[in-house]
């Protein structure tokens, strides 16, 4: 998908390069969703139009922006996205694209923990509430450990993403002079 960014708006060595490349993608996505009635169709169509790098970036920030807010959000959004096999696979594929084995491994640990506690694997049976985590002390302990790992790992993931984008800018955006 052709996404353009003004040269003066981007610090190519900056810590927010990935986020700067994500912003126009999410704005376009939200605009398309607002114009349509079939959410799933527009979601799939939008994703197909992205380059491989844009897909990896998009799914990283969709995941990161939701789960990084708190332990409870990490728990709920991980369970919710895992209950959408295509989305969960896309998030994992994104980490493979960025050669982020540590974060990919963390997602697999999250997946195993949710499977171990018989969490739904589809949205059809998804009825998880954020408050549910307080009811299961064993799960709470493991999710707390996984969230701590996420907090340690995600800054390194962002650095890897920024480095990848800087080296392969054409895969993510086109830069225009103003």
């Amino acid at each position: 998908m052709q996404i353009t960014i003004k040269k003066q708006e981007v610090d190519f060595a900056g810590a927010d390069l990935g986020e700067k490349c994500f912003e126009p993608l999410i704005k376009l996505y939200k605009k398309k969703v607002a114009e349509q009635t079939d959410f799933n169709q527009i979601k799939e169509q939008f994703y197909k139009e992205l380059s491989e790098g844009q897909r990896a970036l998009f799914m990283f920030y969709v995941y990161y922006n939701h789960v990084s807010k708190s332990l409870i959000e990490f728990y709920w959004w991980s369970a919710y996205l895992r209950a959408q096999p295509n989305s969960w696979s896309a998030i994992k594929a994104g980490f493979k694209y960025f050669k982020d084995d540590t974060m990919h491994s963390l997602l697999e640990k999250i997946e195993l923990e949710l499977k171990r506690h018989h969490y739904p694997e589809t949205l059809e049976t998804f009825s998880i509430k954020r408050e549910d985590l307080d009811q299961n002390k064993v799960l709470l302990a493991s999710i707390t450990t996984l969230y701590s790992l996420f907090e340690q790992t995600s800054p390194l993931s962002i650095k890897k993403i920024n480095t990848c984008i800087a080296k392969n800018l054409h895969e993510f955006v086109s830069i225009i002079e103003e």
Side-chain angles (χ1 to χ4, degrees):
M1 178 176 291
Q2 184 71 23
I3 298 293
T4 58
I5 296 179
K6 295 175 186 169
K7 187 176 183 177
Q8 63 271 24
E9 292 179 359
V10 179
D11 175 3
F12 296 100
D16 66 345
L17 181 59
E19 201 151 354
K20 287 286 187 186
C21 293
F22 172 72
E23 286 171 7
L25 291 173
I26 194 65
K27 285 179 184 174
L28 182 59
Y29 174 76
K30 287 178 177 180
K31 180 182 177 200
K32 288 185 178 223
V33 166
E35 295 170 352
Q36 297 295 320
T37 55
D38 187 347
F39 174 70
N40 286 330
Q41 181 183 359
I42 196 64
K43 186 167 113 174
E44 289 175 22
Q45 183 60 39
F46 177 82
Y47 188 77
K48 286 178 186 176
E49 292 173 9
L50 301 177
S51 69
E52 184 180 9
Q54 288 172 327
R55 285 183 194 134
L57 180 68
F58 187 79
M59 294 310 294
F60 169 78
Y61 275 105
V62 164
Y63 185 70
Y64 176 81
N65 287 341
H66 286 98
V67 303
S68 63
K69 292 178 178 149
S70 68
L71 171 68
I72 295 296
E73 294 303 308
F74 175 81
Y75 155 75
W76 191 87
W77 280 100
S78 292
Y80 178 71
L81 290 165
R82 184 183 158 269
Q84 299 173 66
N86 291 341
S87 294
W88 190 252
S89 293
I91 295 165
K92 289 170 68 174
F95 288 117
K96 286 287 191 188
Y97 176 87
F98 290 119
K99 297 175 176 54
D100 190 345
D101 296 333
T102 304
M103 191 63 88
H104 187 272
S105 174
L106 177 60
L107 284 181
E108 291 193 336
K109 290 175 184 172
I110 293 166
E111 186 174 341
L112 285 172
E113 198 59 37
L114 293 172
K115 279 183 182 178
R116 195 173 79 157
H117 290 273
H118 308 290
Y119 271 64
E121 296 187 24
T122 67
L123 288 180
E124 291 151 9
T125 58
F126 190 86
S127 61
I128 307 305
K129 295 181 214 81
R130 286 164 177 82
E131 299 78 26
D132 292 345
L133 187 59
D134 291 331
Q135 308 305 314
N136 185 334
K137 298 303 178 195
V138 173
L139 181 61
L140 175 60
S142 61
I143 292 294
T144 300
T145 300
L146 293 170
Y147 183 63
S148 178
L149 287 171
F150 170 80
E151 287 183 307
Q152 294 167 23
T153 304
S154 58
L156 302 173
S157 296
I158 291 170
K159 279 185 181 181
K160 283 183 181 188
I161 290 167
N162 290 338
T163 300
C164 180
I165 292 171
K167 290 179 180 176
N168 304 287
L169 196 59
H170 65 280
E171 177 73 17
F172 299 90
V173 294
S174 296
I175 303 299
I176 56 172
E177 302 282 337
E178 178 115 333

